[in-house]
Amino acid sequence: RKEVEQDPGPFNVPEGATVAFNCTYSNSASQSFFWYRQDCRKEPKLLMSVYSSGNEDGRFTAQLNRASQYISLLIRDSKLSDSATYLCVVNKAGTGRRALTFGSGTRLQVQP
Amino acid sequence: NAGVTQTPKFRVLKTGQSMTLLCAQDMNHEYMYWYRQDPGMGLRLIHYSVGEGTTAKGEVPDGYNVSRLKKQNFLLGLESAAPSQTSVYFCASSYRSQGALKETQYFGPGTRLLVL
């Protein structure tokens, strides 16, 4: 089982739609959670951290469910510029080293 | 600030050749990392460094060596390249943080390596 699992997609949605991605992680000791965004052939960039109580940043809302070990990202009012791959990222807890585990990403394509 | 830079951007090697990838950051970050990204597999950590003069293995270290002689630079070496090392290599850096690892990793633009 992968440490971080995501549906690869692609999710094809029209402009203005609401879309949600889920991600599951296997290490129950993980403490830090993030969503990164990666444009085609570019480097990953932090989209937002995910806090236990859930958090919002403009059109983006992230939720964490520790009991079920999943993280979600909701994008409202999708824009063409949201087209990208969204990476779910979890810290490697319990290994004594500072490292992150990246999911393989969910691809979003927003259509005009 | 340039952030994190990587050289070269693209390279083609023959099997058995060696090369060094250079990563530089101007943000005074303590931590630096080398990842590889392959289709369908996400980023995998090769080696990392928690400070000048220190390095440690990640999850896929075989076939690679690293050095951190200066705080701002992190070098990744391939001594004898193999086709399985064809990949996109990303360098990243981050601040040292206390407690929970709520650190942001800043990535370089990547190096595309093709080993024939």
Side-chain angles (χ1 to χ4, degrees), chain A residues 13-105:
Chain A
V13 302
E15 267 187 293
T18 296
V19 61
F21 311 134
N22 288 332
C23 154
T24 58
Y25 62 94
S26 61
N27 189 338
S28 60
S30 293
Q31 296 177 2
S32 299
F33 310 91
F34 312 90
W35 284 100
Y36 275 69
R37 171 194 168 125
Q38 186 172 25
D39 293 296
C40 187
R41 301 178 73 80
K42 298 285 188 181
E43 71 272 24
K45 292 183 180 178
L46 178 70
L47 178 66
M48 59 195 301
S49 299
V50 185
Y51 302 120
S52 297
S53 54
N55 49 299
E56 192 173 302
D57 183 1
R59 297 181 294 108
F60 299 85
T61 301
Q63 298 276 356
L64 169 64
N65 184 319
R66 285 188 186 272
S68 302
Q69 292 180 211
Y70 81 78
I71 306 154
S72 65
L73 177 67
L74 181 78
I75 305 175
R76 291 182 299 278
D77 189 22
S78 299
K79 312 290 185 193
L80 293 176
S81 57
D82 294 334
S83 297
T85 297
Y86 291 83
L87 308 176
C88 176
V89 183
V90 177
N91 77 302
K92 274 188 180 294
T95 63
R97 64 172 189 237
R98 294 189 170 247
L100 299 176
T101 301
F102 287 76
S104 52

